[in-house]
Amino acid sequence: MTAPAAAPPSAETAALPRPVTPVGILAARLLHIVERLEAVGGIDQTITAELHEAAELAAGLDPYLSLCTTRESPALERLARRTRAEDWDRHSGNNAGATLEQEMLSGHVEGQLLKMLVHLTRAERVLDIGVFTGYSALAMAEALPAHGEVTACEIDAGVAALAIDCFRESANGHKIAVRIGPALATLEQLSAAGKRFDLVFVDADKAGYVGYLEILLDQHLLSPGGLICADNTLMQGQPWVSGRPTANGEAIKRFNRTVAADPRVEQVLIPLRDGLTLIRRLDGA
């Protein structure tokens, strides 16, 4: 991901992970405004106090969600720890020119939501478009029955190897089959083989989202009653804030418009982390 231009980090925020969600970016900018006002001096203290409260409200949301969400499994915890420890600079340029970074990890709360959705939909066949280090794939595999399977698509062979290594350390890793290559080509192959999926998680190149949606619906890769979960559909607020969006921001804005205009589906955009849209094909569509 590429965040919008943010204010320079203060000493207090420099050690924290780079904010990549709307609420995280909001919290960082509010805190920076407070610090600048305090440095200037002569500002009504009630104003800075209210800004402090607003920053605290925003900054505390994601940590509180994590605190109140079922703890991740030891295998997922190990995978997340390994992702944070990886030197991502050495992977630069491997993913069709895209930049890889630890912030691309789905993470604890979103992983638990995906597990919950697998349980609620009673999914047995899951498609994960965009594996990265495998957190989402493994989270969903943990919720599948013993005979369930995750088909995981990843374009970058190097990062896929890391994910596969992590899967080997999990009791549920055997449920995951990794397909390396451009996702659209893989989806065409899966369609030709007559594959159908009960739940699809999309977290890949944002410019490809519309194409993934079209092939999933047009070629009936999505089972009747199946669910598509599209990640990063808030894209750090770029679809609605003023200013010129990045290429990813423009791609997500286009995808959101496409989904909203498609009469075959109904959807809800959940403001979790950087946005997750749940898309269901309407009966008879």
Side-chain angles (χ1 to χ4, degrees), residues 16-74:
L16 299 176
R18 180 174 69 86
V20 293
T21 68
V23 70
I25 294 168
L26 175 62
R29 292 186 177 179
L30 284 171
L31 182 58
H32 183 65
I33 290 170
V34 171
E35 292 173 342
R36 292 178 64 187
L37 290 176
E38 290 176 340
V40 170
I43 306 297
D44 187 336
Q45 290 187 352
T46 59
I47 295 177
T48 56
E50 288 180 6
L51 285 171
H52 262 299
E53 291 176 2
E56 180 185 17
L57 183 65
L61 178 59
D62 283 344
Y64 190 70
L65 292 180
S66 184
L67 179 68
C68 296
T69 296
T70 299
R71 184 174 177 176
E72 61 192 348
S73 69

Side-chain angles (χ1 to χ4, degrees), residues 53-107:
E53 291 176 2
E56 180 185 17
L57 183 65
L61 178 59
D62 283 344
Y64 190 70
L65 292 180
S66 184
L67 179 68
C68 296
T69 296
T70 299
R71 184 174 177 176
E72 61 192 348
S73 69
L76 286 171
E77 192 172 16
R78 285 194 302 271
L79 191 155
R81 188 166 56 248
R82 181 166 178 179
T83 302
R84 290 190 295 268
E86 184 72 14
D87 178 9
W88 289 108
D89 288 340
R90 74 183 182 89
H91 290 272
S92 296
N94 291 350
N95 190 26
T99 299
L100 298 175
E101 54 186 348
Q102 65 166 313
E103 287 84 1
M104 295 171 70
L105 190 79
S106 300

